[in-house]
Amino acid sequence: MVHHYGPHYFRTNHDSVIQYLSRFTEWIDGNYIVKSKVGDKTYPFPINLETLEQFFGIKDLSVDQAEQLLEEKRIDIRDPQNSEEFVLSRLGPELYNAFYLGYTLKQWGKHPKELDASVCGRIPIKLNRDPYYVEHKFRKFPSEGFTSMFSRMINHPLINVKLNTDYFALKDKIVPQKATIYTGPIDRFYNFEFGKLEWRSLDFVFEALETEFAQECVQINYPGDTQFTRKVEIKHVTGQEHSETVVCTEYPKAEGEPYYPVPNKENHRRYLQYKAKADTENKVYFVGRLAEYTYINSDEAILKGLQLFDELSERHF
Ligand code: UDP
């Protein structure tokens, strides 16, 4: 089992999302452990006490000592305006240069100065020894994978799925009785009339290997001098038992299927023009990462879907 569209490490703090999805899946523990390869050494990532110990060559760092150390390293920037300022204000230049700068340049094709603080701000800084990538209260993974979960979700007599069908070829024929819920790129919906929004895409290169495990944890980040950003061996998370394995290497690119909005002021300004138009629509609703041009995780996208459904059912049903 592999993730064709990049790793999805399901986690959430929202009870309604857990309850809803649990109708369609059982769960296994989310073994989401990530490391970052800086030079020839591999460090725990997000940065935690062990990363600081290894990086600065200090033993048995206490929380107080780590705070003191970061206090000495960080740059005094009160209200960080972009991802560079955010990381410098939390961790200082050495850790920024080693773990963030190169990765971000590759991932976005932009300098961290040109990206909102929230982009690098997604990554927690952890003054503990917890090795997991995320800190949410529910950190679990669908026991048979996402495909089974979604197959059960759409297995309903009133749900008719049309694959390989271009919505825009049919758009004029689809007149919503109650609602159209659009989850594609919002600029495409309006034929790019306010100009193209920027999106970021990836090439996923899969390699099957004749070994049970190829790397020590599910994801290794490469902030250094490679064209790719990370290598993912999802088997660490799916729990699948197999004598062989698959590693997926991610190469970021500007063109191709849109996977990420590019969060900065200019794109946001353009998005607001589209949003103003979308807000005047009758019976067409825009939801999700692409339709709302927002860098949300899958649990947040599902939460937005559930909230919209509640809103529509009050109005229509
Ligand atoms: N990031 C980084 N170094 C890393 C991992 C992440 O600089 O080793 C930055 C980078 O800009 C990235 C952002 O933090 O795009 C968010 O990372 P996350 O792992 O959440 O990205 P996703 O899994 O959504 O691609």
Side-chain angles (χ1 to χ4, degrees), residues 178-181 275 278-279 281-288 292 301-317:
K178 302 232 160 115
T180 289
I181 295 166
K275 182 177 181 326
D279 286 344
E281 292 284 348
N282 181 23
K283 296 187 183 168
V284 185
Y285 301 89
F286 296 77
V287 68
E292 296 181 277
I302 290 163
L303 182 69
K304 278 171 175 281
L306 293 174
Q307 286 168 339
L308 177 60
F309 180 79
D310 286 344
E311 207 184 299
L312 292 181
S313 38
E314 265 173 38
R315 207 172 305 163
H316 295 298
F317 302 115

Side-chain angles (χ1 to χ4, degrees), residues 15-151:
D15 290 332
S16 59
V17 173
I18 303 169
Q19 274 163 20
Y20 176 69
L21 293 181
S22 298
R23 289 165 52 189
F24 310 107
T25 187
E26 307 273 312
W27 302 95
I28 55 174
D29 284 342
N31 187 25
Y32 314 149
I33 296 183
V34 174
K35 300 205 170 177
S36 180
K37 189 144 198 245
V38 175
D40 54 7
K41 294 210 182 92
T42 307
Y43 299 87
F45 193 83
I47 289 172
N48 67 18
L49 286 182
E50 279 173 36
T51 319
L52 296 175
E53 285 170 353
Q54 288 175 26
F55 189 79
F56 292 109
I58 306 168
K59 278 196 181 138
D60 301 328
L61 202 58
S62 69
V63 176
D64 285 350
Q65 287 168 324
E67 267 164 9
Q68 172 77 35
L69 174 73
L70 292 180
E71 194 52 46
E72 285 160 22
K73 301 284 177 195
R74 61 172 71 110
I75 293 179
D76 186 16
I77 304 170
R78 290 284 139 83
D79 181 17
Q81 292 299 309
N82 56 54
S83 272
E84 176 173 83
E85 290 185 2
F86 177 84
V87 182
L88 289 176
S89 72
R90 298 294 193 285
L91 296 168
E94 287 145 278
L95 293 163
Y96 166 70
N97 286 323
F99 290 91
Y100 289 85
L101 177 59
Y103 189 103
T104 301
L105 282 167
K106 288 189 281 188
Q107 169 68 10
W108 301 98
K110 285 195 190 310
H111 196 279
K113 277 184 207 155
E114 299 172 86
L115 293 162
D116 286 354
S118 60
V119 174
C120 287
R122 282 168 61 81
I123 310 292
I125 294 155
K126 305 198 302 181
L127 296 190
N128 57 33
R129 293 174 192 277
D130 170 17
Y132 295 104
Y133 200 55
V134 296
E135 296 183 302
H136 301 64
K137 69 172 189 183
F138 186 88
R139 195 187 61 228
K140 289 189 184 285
F141 184 81
S143 57
E144 293 163 34
F146 285 101
T147 305
S148 297
M149 181 177 84
F150 284 112
S151 301

Side-chain angles (χ1 to χ4, degrees), residues 210-238:
E210 288 179 9
T211 174
E212 197 177 354
F213 282 101
Q215 58 187 43
E216 60 184 291
C217 55
V218 63
Q219 181 176 315
I220 314 261
N221 291 351
Y222 290 82
D225 203 10
T226 54
Q227 288 192 338
F228 54 87
T229 46
R230 59 190 181 189
K231 284 181 180 277
V232 173
E233 185 178 29
I234 203 70
K235 198 179 166 200
H236 286 273
V237 168
T238 61

Side-chain angles (χ1 to χ4, degrees), residues 178-218:
K178 302 232 160 115
T180 289
I181 295 166
Y182 176 78
T183 62
I186 190 167
D187 56 347
R188 171 74 183 88
F189 189 90
Y190 290 114
N191 226 356
F192 311 107
E193 77 173 78
F194 302 117
K196 286 196 170 174
L197 286 165
E198 245 180 311
W199 303 97
R200 200 72 179 152
S201 191
L202 296 166
D203 272 334
F204 299 105
V205 178
F206 293 89
E207 194 185 359
L209 298 160
E210 288 179 9
T211 174
E212 197 177 354
F213 282 101
Q215 58 187 43
E216 60 184 291
C217 55
V218 63

